Amino acid sequence: MAKKAQKKQQQGYFKFIKWFWILFGSGVLVVIFIFLLASWGAFGEMPTFERLENPETNLATEFLSSDGETLGKLYLDDNRTWVDYDTLPQNLVDALVATEDARYYSHSGIDARGTLRAFLFLGTKGGASTISQQLSRQLFVGVRSRNLMEAVTQKIKEWVIATRLERNYTKEEIIAMYLNIYDFGYAADGIRSASRIYFGKEPYELRTEESAVLVGMLKNSSLYNPIRREELVLNRRNTVLGQMAKYDYISEEEKDSLQQLKMNINFNPESHREGLATYFRMHMQRFMNKWVAENPKPDGEKWNIYLDGLKVYTTVDSRMQRNAEEAVQEHMKNLQAEFFHQNTPQRNATAPFLDISRGAIDTIMERSMRRSARWRHLKREGLSDKEIEATFHKEEEMTVFDWNSDSFEKDTIMSPLDSIRYYKTFLRTAMMSMEPQTGHVKAWVGGIDYKHFQYDNVIQGARQAGSTFKPFVYAAAIDQLRYSPCESLPDNQYCIEPGKHGNMEAWCPKNSDGKYSGENLTLKNALANSVNTVTAQLIDKVGPGSVVSIAKSMGLNKNIPEVPSIALGTHDFSVYEMVGAYGTFANQGVYVKPVMVTRIEDKNGTVLYEYTPETKDVLSKDVAYAMINLMEGVTQYGSGGRLRHSFAKDQTVYKEIITGYPYELTNPIAGKTGTTQNQSDGWFMGMVPNLVTGVWVGGDDRSIHFSSLTYGQGASMALPIWALYMKKNYANEELGVSKDAFEEPEEMTINVDCSKQAQEEEDDLDTEDDLEDIDF
């Protein structure tokens, strides 16, 4: 009986074992079958091998400065720039593995232990998604469905894709892909954008506690966002640090110390309207739109500047660009304060307009209204002109520009028409800086604030050049007549008769102060003090055609009329054109077209474009050097003299308003100020041997200007920006901005030493007197 019972027990045991293995084997076969079904697409489309090898990710076009910094990006939805695993800090990788997938290096895409734990405890003791599965969801599966059956099939697809990813990529590549793909919120797509936006630094610069913040956000970047929920994110960061200590990536002491630190979020939102070099970046967008239209891909398709991850290497130096923007901000804020002071209702009832009728003001306002973006938008919606105009008179809440606010913005209530007039009260500016030998543009500031003033005055705007055009007249005279800077001409009122040089009437320009000394002035003295009568004599001698020819050869390609009045700068030019032209003087007579882009690469580093310099020999070396010598006089004792020293009579006034005055620059500087009629435009063009910079300041309309030359001349409006910019550049010796003298040609055929010429003339007179005493 006992043996029978024992045999029966053994049969039951073997039967249990048999059924266990049958069920286990069936389960394995079912799992294999499910995996096969998933791989065949039974649960939805699966990525092909080619897609696994080249997953589709939207990459922004990146603009890089000449010193290797990111100036900005072009993107629609995804502000993503790819970074390689080698550039990721080890603390970031450690935090990721410790928090998201502790057995990452020991599985092949699916964590069996984690999966079993999640199944047995229904996820209450942690999930089972590996980093590879999370990547597969980000790339191919999408957001988890709320439907149970769909969620299950999604999970199966994740498993299958994760194992395929593990076969196609190394562990390091998968980590890099995951961190590059993830959306951290606030346009922080990928780890590089996230580190720049939340901490203002590159990924390799992240500290352990900063990496822990970003890894903590991987759980749910919308929920765990440091800008909206600081305390929640701080707790999540500390959890990540705890995981790092648990798996021995940091010690308990390090964990305790790091958990006591504040997060120190340095929020730097990246948008097209904010950040460094905004005006330049928008010009680059126009450049890229034109480039992609003319340069298709090898297969004939058009490059997408928002998705294809192009890298655009620009000539702008981020440090010089920052100096330029700071100089503009410092001076324009103070200058604007004086402009507001002069345009209170008590001082100017038609502010900001001056010396024009009410009817003319109404015309300007109506024209501005009809040109506004609001008008165009409402017109597209089908509203009539009368209906649109009515909306411009209704008050509404709006955010407007304000120099006195920390963010340069304030909330207010006004009508759209009043806002147009409000914005017209702000003076505008433009500044461009270029290396004359290469044409490389080093700084570009198109206005005071791109977010509120999007018109780029560097290249889109053109204004009367005033006296900054006079050097082209002098250059023609020196080139054709072989005049030297020491040549003398009388300061008397000078008229060019009717019928000469295309004149219909006599042209008799006055000096700016309406006075004439009657003395003979050297060309150097005449240019330094912007004497109009001497310039009139020069253009009469060489003819307007010669001046226009030289100007066009130096990049001033607009349709310049061949009439004498151009000598005083009546024609409109952009800052971009003027800087390129002045570069000819600093580059020994060779014009180099301004360059903004040196190279374009695709996302794999393949070079798609490299620039070729465009140059033209315009002036001989000795003529160019003579012109530099002439313009050095401007900064030595002329209208640009305040760069070097103080003027006792007006020092108090200028210290009150002109930031940084006196500037006390001692190195050789060539330059020219310019002021147009009624003080509508103020210019300064300044040069040192390896940097040419042009600055313009003026109102949105020519009727918006200062009431006098005290603040309305180029030396007050524009020159201070140049001076502040150069002082900032000189403070950073790494920039290599020259303080040396301009290079003099070895064979100089034009005399530039006026003291030497005066001595020779005196010796000649003595010789003549001696000859008269000899009895032949």
Side-chain angles (χ1 to χ4, degrees):
M1 264 318 265
K3 284 186 179 181
K4 217 169 186 182
Q6 185 177 8
K7 186 176 180 181
K8 190 173 182 181
Q9 187 177 3
Q10 286 178 343
Q11 285 178 345
Y13 174 75
F14 285 123
K15 189 176 181 181
F16 171 79
I17 294 297
K18 174 184 174 183
W19 278 106
F20 171 80
W21 284 110
I22 288 173
L23 290 173
F24 179 79
S26 299
V28 170
L29 289 173
V30 168
V31 169
I32 292 173
F33 184 62
I34 290 174
F35 268 68
L36 285 172
L37 287 175
S39 63
W40 293 335
F43 303 133
E45 183 183 0
M46 295 290 284
T48 63
F49 175 79
E50 289 74 17
R51 282 189 68 198
L52 285 173
E53 285 291 309
N54 298 284
E56 295 176 5
T57 54
N58 297 333
L59 299 177
T61 289
E62 183 178 16
F63 296 121
L64 296 163
S65 68
S66 61
D67 56 317
E69 296 295 321
T70 297
L71 293 175
K73 303 173 189 176
L74 285 178
Y75 59 91
L76 292 177
D77 299 314
D78 296 340
N79 175 23
R80 180 179 292 105
T81 303
W82 203 267
V83 292
D84 294 329
Y85 179 85
D86 294 341
T87 63
L88 298 175
Q90 190 60 46
N91 60 52
L92 178 67
V93 176
D94 293 343
L96 173 63
V97 172
T99 308
E100 297 294 326
D101 193 352
R103 288 175 290 277
Y104 176 67
Y105 293 105
S106 60
H107 64 65
S108 298
I110 300 173
D111 181 5
R113 285 173 57 186
T115 301
L116 184 60
R117 181 194 64 219
F119 179 75
L120 292 175
F121 295 97
L122 301 177
T124 58
K125 292 192 175 184
S129 288
T130 64
I131 293 173
S132 304
Q133 287 174 240
Q134 292 179 49
L135 175 60
S136 70
R137 185 190 311 150
Q138 292 283 332
L139 285 174
F140 305 111
V141 179
V143 179
R144 178 76 72 237
S145 174
R146 294 179 180 274
N147 181 283
L148 179 60
M149 289 305 299
E150 288 182 0
V152 170
T153 57
Q154 283 181 328
K155 193 66 179 178
I156 294 169
K157 288 173 67 176
E158 280 179 26
W159 287 340
V160 175
I161 296 170
T163 57
R164 289 184 176 183
L165 288 171
E166 291 271 352
R167 289 199 299 269
N168 288 2
Y169 296 98
T170 65
K171 291 286 187 179
E172 291 75 17
E173 288 172 332
I174 289 173
I175 285 177
M177 289 173 70
Y178 178 54
L179 291 173
N180 277 301
I181 288 295
Y182 195 81
D183 178 1
F184 290 86
Y186 285 104
D189 298 298
I191 190 63
R192 183 159 186 254
S193 293
S195 61
R196 287 170 56 86
I197 288 173
Y198 292 113
F199 294 105
K201 57 179 65 175
E202 295 295 328
Y204 66 85
E205 299 174 299
L206 290 171
R207 300 166 63 89
T208 300
E209 66 273 18
E210 294 167 340
S211 292
V213 170
L214 297 179
V215 168
M217 293 176 69
L218 294 172
K219 186 172 184 179
N220 184 334
S221 61
S222 220
L223 178 64
Y224 295 98
N225 191 285
I227 307 305
R228 295 195 296 267
R229 299 180 181 89
E230 185 175 347
E231 186 175 350
L232 185 67
V233 176
L234 180 64
N235 293 333
R236 178 63 182 163
R237 181 204 69 174
N238 290 343
T239 298
V240 173
L241 293 171
Q243 288 294 105
M244 294 180 74
K246 177 181 178 180
Y247 292 104
D248 296 327
Y249 290 110
I250 58 175
S251 66
E252 285 292 327
E253 291 76 12
E254 287 177 300
K255 180 202 76 172
D256 294 338
S257 176
L258 292 173
Q259 287 181 339
Q260 298 305 312
L261 297 175
K262 294 181 179 179
M263 286 198 296
N264 291 325
I265 298 298
N266 179 17
F267 190 50
N268 295 276
E270 292 185 354
S271 74
H272 302 314
R273 295 188 175 191
E274 297 172 309
L276 191 66
T278 45
Y279 289 95
F280 178 73
R281 281 154 41 198
M282 289 304 100
H283 176 69
M284 285 292 93
Q285 182 177 8
R286 294 190 292 271
F287 172 90
M288 289 303 297
N289 281 329
K290 182 180 178 183
W291 183 85
V292 298
E294 298 171 352
N295 298 271
K297 296 179 182 180
D299 60 5
E301 288 188 15
K302 188 176 179 180
W303 291 100
N304 190 315
I305 62 174
Y306 303 105
L307 306 176
D308 286 342
L310 300 176
K311 287 187 181 294
V312 182
Y313 293 85
T314 75
T315 59
V316 164
D317 186 296
S318 67
R319 300 160 296 181
M320 296 174 75
Q321 178 68 29
R322 192 168 284 107
N323 290 344
E325 293 184 11
E326 288 176 359
V328 165
Q329 180 180 315
E330 289 171 18
H331 176 64
M332 292 303 294
K333 182 178 181 180
N334 285 353
L335 190 67
Q336 188 67 50
E338 176 60 28
F339 190 74
F340 282 150
H341 176 70
Q342 292 189 16
N343 283 277
T344 59
Q346 295 78 16
R347 292 183 175 89
N348 180 13
T350 60
F353 308 99
L354 193 64
D355 300 330
I356 61 171
S357 66
R358 298 275 184 182
I361 293 173
D362 291 342
T363 300
I364 291 172
M365 293 298 296
E366 183 176 359
R367 184 173 63 240
S368 299
M369 178 176 64
R370 289 176 176 272
R371 289 178 177 176
S372 68
R374 181 189 186 94
W375 185 283
R376 293 193 300 271
H377 173 71
L378 294 177
K379 196 70 176 176
R380 284 195 297 267
E381 290 190 352
L383 273 69
S384 68
D385 288 359
K386 187 176 181 179
E387 290 172 324
I388 296 173
E389 189 169 346
T391 68
F392 276 83
H393 294 276
K394 294 178 181 177
E395 289 190 342
E396 58 185 64
E397 293 182 357
M398 61 178 68
T399 302
V400 297
F401 180 77
D402 178 39
W403 273 121
N404 296 319
S405 302
D406 292 339
S407 62
F408 297 132
E409 287 184 327
K410 68 177 182 181
D411 295 327
T412 187
I413 297 175
M414 64 173 70
S415 71
L417 189 63
D418 287 340
S419 73
I420 291 176
R421 189 158 188 156
Y422 172 77
Y423 275 110
K424 283 187 179 294
T425 64
F426 288 94
L427 296 172
R428 312 300 167 88
T429 188
M431 174 185 182
M432 184 176 122
S433 194
M434 183 190 80
E435 190 178 78
Q437 290 77 21
T438 62
H440 288 189
V441 173
K442 292 299 178 184
W444 178 304
V445 184
I448 56 175
D449 182 272
Y450 182 80
K451 188 174 182 180
H452 293 276
F453 304 90
Q454 294 177 20
Y455 189 75
D456 187 348
N457 290 290
V458 168
I459 198 166
Q460 291 177 313
R463 296 291 286 257
Q464 285 187 347
S467 293
T468 57
F469 189 80
K470 288 178 179 176
F472 305 110
V473 180
Y474 280 69
I478 293 174
D479 184 48
Q480 294 182 23
L481 306 177
R482 305 309 292 175
Y483 278 179
S484 89
C486 311
E487 189 76 29
S488 296
L489 291 173
D491 177 21
N492 295 319
Q493 185 165 32
Y494 188 86
C495 290
I496 297 178
E497 63 269 24
K500 190 176 183 181
H501 304 313
N503 266 356
M504 297 299 292
E505 299 176 354
W507 184 62
C508 307
K510 298 178 180 180
N511 288 332
S512 60
D513 59 1
K515 299 176 182 178
Y516 312 95
S517 68
E519 299 176 357
N520 281 342
L521 302 178
T522 64
L523 298 190
K524 191 169 187 176
N525 187 293
L527 185 65
N529 293 286
S530 226
V531 180
N532 291 339
T533 58
V534 172
T535 309
Q537 294 173 64
L538 292 177
I539 198 166
D540 187 23
K541 292 176 185 294
V542 299
S546 299
V547 176
V548 170
S549 177
I550 279 184
K552 286 189 173 182
S553 296
M554 297 167 74
L556 302 181
N557 294 316
K558 286 188 170 64
N559 186 25
I560 309 172
E562 294 185 9
V563 294
S565 61
I566 62 169
L568 304 186
T570 56
H571 201 63
D572 294 350
F573 298 104
S574 68
V575 171
Y576 171 86
E577 292 172 305
M578 291 295 285
V579 171
Y582 268 68
T584 309
F585 299 129
N587 192 33
Q588 299 186 317
V590 179
Y591 169 75
V592 182
K593 185 177 180 180
V595 176
M596 283 74 76
V597 175
T598 58
R599 189 170 80 256
I600 299 173
E601 295 178 356
D602 67 11
K603 64 181 180 181
N604 299 315
T606 303
V607 176
L608 306 175
Y609 163 85
E610 282 189 292
Y611 90 107
T612 303
E614 296 182 40
T615 65
K616 183 188 293 185
D617 292 335
V618 181
L619 304 171
S620 63
K621 289 184 179 181
D622 52 354
V623 171
Y625 184 77
M627 286 305 305
I628 289 293
N629 180 267
L630 274 170
M631 287 186 278
E632 283 183 309
V634 174
T635 67
Q636 289 167 349
Y637 47 79
S639 55
R642 65 189 59 171
L643 285 171
R644 305 194 176 284
H645 44 74
S646 310
F647 294 96
K649 64 180 180 180
D650 59 9
Q651 185 173 351
T652 303
V653 173
Y654 282 105
K655 273 192 174 180
E656 288 176 359
I657 186 64
I658 307 301
T659 315
Y661 178 81
Y663 308 108
E664 299 177 338
L665 296 167
T666 59
N667 54 292
I669 300 168
K672 187 69 190 81
T673 58
T675 309
T676 61
Q677 191 172 10
N678 297 326
Q679 301 81 239
S680 294
D681 306 279
W683 290 79
F684 184 70
M685 305 296 300
M687 296 176 283
V688 296
N690 64 349
L691 197 65
V692 177
T693 305
V695 183
W696 167 85
V697 175
D700 187 44
D701 294 276
R702 292 188 57 78
S703 55
I704 300 171
H705 55 80
F706 281 103
S707 58
S708 71
L709 285 170
T710 304
Y711 298 108
Q713 61 180 300
S716 302
M717 290 204 291
L719 178 145
I721 293 176
W722 189 92
L724 289 168
Y725 169 64
M726 293 302 289
K727 289 186 76 170
K728 292 174 186 290
N729 287 340
Y730 285 136
N732 184 352
E733 294 183 359
E734 291 182 2
L735 295 176
V737 178
S738 176
K739 288 186 176 182
D740 298 333
F742 290 88
E743 182 181 353
E744 183 175 351
E746 293 182 3
E747 298 181 7
M748 188 68 191
T749 61
I750 300 172
N751 177 40
V752 295
D753 188 348
C754 297
S755 61
K756 180 180 178 182
Q757 177 168 318
Q759 183 62 50
E760 289 174 351
E761 290 174 353
E762 187 177 332
D763 291 342
D764 289 342
L765 289 173
D766 290 341
T767 302
E768 289 176 11
D769 291 340
D770 291 341
L771 288 173
E772 288 176 3
D773 293 337
I774 297 176
D775 184 3
F776 291 101

